[in-house]
Amino acid sequence: MAVETRRTPDVDRQLAGLDALQLTAGTRRGLPARLWSAAWPMLAAVAIAVGAWELVVLSGWKEPWVLPGPRQVLPEFWRVVTDGSFWAAVGLTMRRAAVGFAVAIVIGTAIGAVVSRSKIARRAFGSLITGLQTMPSIAWFPLAILLFQLSESAILFVVVLGAAPSIANGLIAGVDYTPPILLRAGKVMGLRGLALYRHLILPASLPSFVAGLKQGWAFAWRSLMAGELLVIIGDTQSVGTLLHFARELSDTERMISVMIVILIIGVLVDQLFGLADRTLRERWGVNTETD
C-alpha cells in the first residue's frame, strides 16, 4: 500500500531557496570579474603599504636622504625599470635562480626519496636535513668562497644548500602521509621500486611536495640575494650587485627601487606556485575556493 506524502508550502519555499543557493554557488563569473576579484586585494595591500610608508616619512622619524618617501622613490623606480642594462642584470639573476633551483630539485627529490623509504637513512639523515634547512644561508658563504673563490659556483653552492633540504622535507612529509591502503593496493597491482614511486607515491605526495618546492624557492631566492651581495664577480651586473653599489654610493632612492623589484619578482613567482597549487587541488577535487 503506497503512502502518499504531501509537502507543505513552507517546505516548498525552503527547497526552492536551497535550489537557488546551489545554482548561485555554481555560477561562474566572467573573466573581467574574476580578474578584478583577484587583483583588488593586492592593490589594496599595496595602497596601504605605500600610505604607511608615506606616514612614516612625514613623521620625521628619519631624514629624507636616509628614508625617502614614495614621491622621491617612484620616479627613480621608473628610471631603473626602463633602463636596458637593468633588465640584463635581472636576466643574469633569474638565470642563476633557475639553475640553482633546478639542481636543488634534483638533489632534494633524490634525497627525499631515499630517506622517506629507508628507516636507516631516516635515522641517520632525517634530523640533519632539518638542521640544514634551518641553517642561515649567509653562514655558508665563508666556506663557499674558500672552496670556489669569487665565482658562480660559490653562489650556486649556497643556493642549492638553501633550497634542497626544504624540497627533501616536503617530499618526505608527502610520502609519510600517503595512505597505507594505497601502498598495499599498489603492491598488489605489481608496482615495485621506481614504478611504485612514479605511479603511486609521487602523485599521492604531490600536495606536500609542491609546498616543499615553494618553500625551497623562498630559501633559494634569499640565498641568491645574499650571494650576489657578497660575491661580486668581476664587472658582472646582477640585481644583487645593483643593490650593493646603490648602498655603497648612499643612493637610497635607487636602493629602495631595486628592493621593490626584488619584492615584485618574489610575488610573481609566488603567484606561479599558487596557480600550480590551485590546479593541483582542482584536479584532486578539493578546491574549496569560490570565484
Side-chain angles (χ1 to χ4, degrees):
M1 180 178 178
V3 178
E4 183 179 356
T5 59
R6 295 183 179 179
R7 295 185 304 190
T8 64
D10 289 339
V11 173
D12 289 335
R13 284 196 299 269
Q14 291 173 4
L15 291 175
L18 290 174
D19 291 339
L21 178 61
Q22 183 177 2
L23 290 173
T24 303
T27 302
R28 296 183 65 87
R29 290 179 290 176
L31 180 60
R34 291 189 332 214
L35 289 176
W36 173 247
S37 177
W40 79 259
M42 297 182 63
L43 295 176
V46 170
I48 292 172
V50 172
W53 177 12
E54 182 66 21
L55 289 176
V56 171
V57 173
L58 293 176
S59 70
W61 177 54
K62 293 293 183 180
E63 296 294 331
W65 62 271
V66 175
L67 182 62
R71 288 173 293 180
Q72 291 76 37
V73 172
L74 293 181
E76 178 64 23
F77 173 78
W78 178 252
R79 285 191 290 271
V80 167
V81 299
T82 54
D83 186 359
S85 62
F86 168 77
W87 291 107
V90 172
L92 175 59
T93 295
M94 297 310 297
R95 180 180 63 81
R96 288 171 172 173
V99 172
F101 189 55
V103 174
I105 290 175
V106 174
I107 295 176
T109 303
I111 294 175
V114 172
V115 172
S116 63
R117 301 304 298 168
S118 171
K119 294 182 179 179
I120 296 176
R122 179 170 299 212
R123 286 195 293 267
F125 300 107
S127 298
L128 178 61
I129 294 173
T130 303
L132 290 174
Q133 181 180 353
T134 59
M135 189 168 179
S137 58
I138 195 72
W140 287 108
F141 275 102
L143 177 62
I145 295 173
L146 184 63
L147 293 174
F148 302 104
Q149 308 303 318
L150 297 178
S151 65
E152 296 282 344
S153 298
I155 298 176
L156 181 64
F157 176 76
V158 178
V159 170
V160 172
L161 282 176
S166 296
I167 297 171
N169 273 336
L171 181 56
I172 292 170
V175 172
D176 286 345
Y177 284 96
T178 302
I181 191 172
L182 290 182
L183 298 176
R184 291 196 294 268
K187 292 177 181 178
V188 169
M189 296 172 62
L191 295 178
R192 296 288 188 279
L194 291 177
L196 182 66
Y197 264 93
R198 178 183 176 185
H199 297 290
L200 194 150
I201 294 177
L202 285 180
S205 61
L206 269 179
S208 293
F209 186 49
V210 170
L213 289 175
K214 184 176 181 179
Q215 189 178 48
W217 165 259
F219 280 105
W221 187 240
R222 290 164 54 185
S223 301
L224 177 59
M225 289 299 100
E228 290 186 344
L229 282 170
L230 293 175
V231 181
I232 309 297
I233 305 171
D235 58 351
T236 58
Q237 289 288 326
S238 64
V239 174
T241 57
L242 293 177
L243 187 62
H244 169 78
F245 289 122
R247 180 197 64 187
E248 291 293 316
L249 297 173
S250 298
D251 190 349
T252 313
E253 288 88 355
R254 187 175 183 84
M255 183 179 68
I256 295 178
S257 298
V258 176
M259 291 171 63
I260 293 174
V261 171
I262 295 172
L263 176 62
I264 292 174
I265 293 174
V267 170
L268 291 177
V269 175
D270 179 74
Q271 291 297 310
L272 292 177
F273 277 109
L275 177 62
D277 181 64
R278 288 191 298 271
T279 302
L280 181 62
R281 286 189 281 115
E282 288 176 358
R283 186 173 180 180
W284 280 48
V286 296
N287 189 7
T288 59
E289 294 183 0
T290 59
D291 293 330

